[in-house]
Amino acid sequence: MIKPIELVVFDCDGVLVDSERIAARVQVALGAELGWPLTEGEVVERFIGRSHAAIREQVADRLGRDIAAIWSERFEELHREAVDAGLAPVDGLPEALDALLGTATCVASSGSHDKMRHTLGRTGLYERFAGRIYSASEVPRGKPAPDLFLHAARQMGVDPQACVVVEDSRPGVLAARAAGMRSFGYAGGLTPGERLEGEDTVVFHDMRELPGLIAGR
């Protein structure tokens, strides 16, 4: 029997804040600068939804650890500058959150706590989730492993089967499935909807649809 939804777990980048386009643009620029030419599609395939450590390992495997360290440092610098220049919430997200008042929510992201304080703070969303924000830095394995979502459920005191995850990346929806959670795959960003499809996943394109979709589950 399907359990009623008790907790909505939000990814951060690309779900709450419209930062994935910024991140992809920065990664493409760094690849051109440091010797690994990448298209936006390749960045989405390799990097989007993965932890900082996992991305750094990929760069190290390709270019060596010294270049990976430079890449990582430059990404943090350029990403912060771009966020400060004009980051916004995902279109329709504030309205969706207002419609979900009364429903328990939290954030579970591959990003670091420092990064989330910055991006959520810049968009006025941090206080909506303060005290209920979880990072891949807190668990042994990042997405697509289930560790982060299971950690968030434990911290929130909710059975995984009573959780739903809102994600915009393939590693994210795979992590939700591995955790035994239902998911909503937001295809209004960089990841094509077909890469989000699968078991116990509803793909949608407008964040304003989310409250109705949750109510229907």
Side-chain angles (χ1 to χ4, degrees):
M1 185 174 177
I2 297 176
K3 290 192 174 186
I5 294 170
E6 298 177 22
L7 175 66
V8 182
V9 183
F10 287 93
D11 177 42
C12 183
D13 295 303
V15 169
L16 297 179
V17 294
D18 195 13
S19 54
E20 296 292 38
R21 290 179 177 84
I22 291 173
R25 186 170 69 246
V26 171
Q27 297 286 23
V28 168
L30 285 173
E33 176 186 330
L34 296 175
W36 188 4
L38 292 162
T39 66
E40 182 181 272
E42 288 169 332
V43 168
V44 171
E45 175 72 23
R46 291 177 174 274
F47 297 163
I48 296 300
R50 298 188 183 275
S51 69
H52 184 80
I55 294 170
R56 186 165 174 159
E57 281 301 313
Q58 288 190 58
V59 177
D61 288 345
R62 179 83 176 215
L63 300 175
R65 297 205 172 274
D66 289 346
I67 296 298
I70 295 169
W71 186 305
S72 181
E73 183 177 331
R74 291 277 290 140
F75 178 82
E76 294 294 331
E77 174 189 339
L78 294 173
H79 185 271
R80 179 172 286 271
E81 289 175 359
V83 164
D84 286 343
L87 180 65
V90 164
D91 184 45
L93 187 277
E95 298 96 314
L97 291 179
D98 287 344
L100 288 170
L101 286 176
T103 301
T105 60
C106 70
V107 179
S109 170
S110 295
S112 68
H113 280 288
D114 283 346
K115 181 181 176 185
M116 286 187 279
R117 271 191 293 271
H118 186 221
T119 57
L120 293 175
R122 291 292 298 181
T123 52
L125 295 172
Y126 188 81
E127 290 305 319
R128 286 188 182 249
F129 296 100
R132 310 187 314 281
I133 299 174
Y134 308 104
S135 165
S137 63
E138 300 171 48
V139 295
R141 301 176 299 170
K143 304 169 189 178
D147 303 30
L148 177 56
F149 290 143
L150 292 174
H151 171 66
R154 280 194 301 272
Q155 294 299 307
M156 296 293 293
V158 178
D159 187 317
Q161 293 185 351
C163 300
V164 293
V165 172
V166 186
E167 266 286 356
D168 73 317
S169 73
R170 183 162 179 80
V173 293
L174 290 176
R177 290 170 202 154
M181 299 179 182
R182 290 161 281 174
S183 61
F184 294 97
Y186 176 61
L190 292 180
T191 302
E194 58 267 22
R195 289 194 50 75
L196 303 173
E197 294 172 351
E199 184 179 359
D200 290 329
T201 303
V202 174
V203 176
F204 70 110
H205 293 80
D206 187 331
M207 199 57 76
R208 297 172 188 84
E209 301 172 33
L210 182 63
L213 292 171
I214 290 172
R217 297 287 282 183

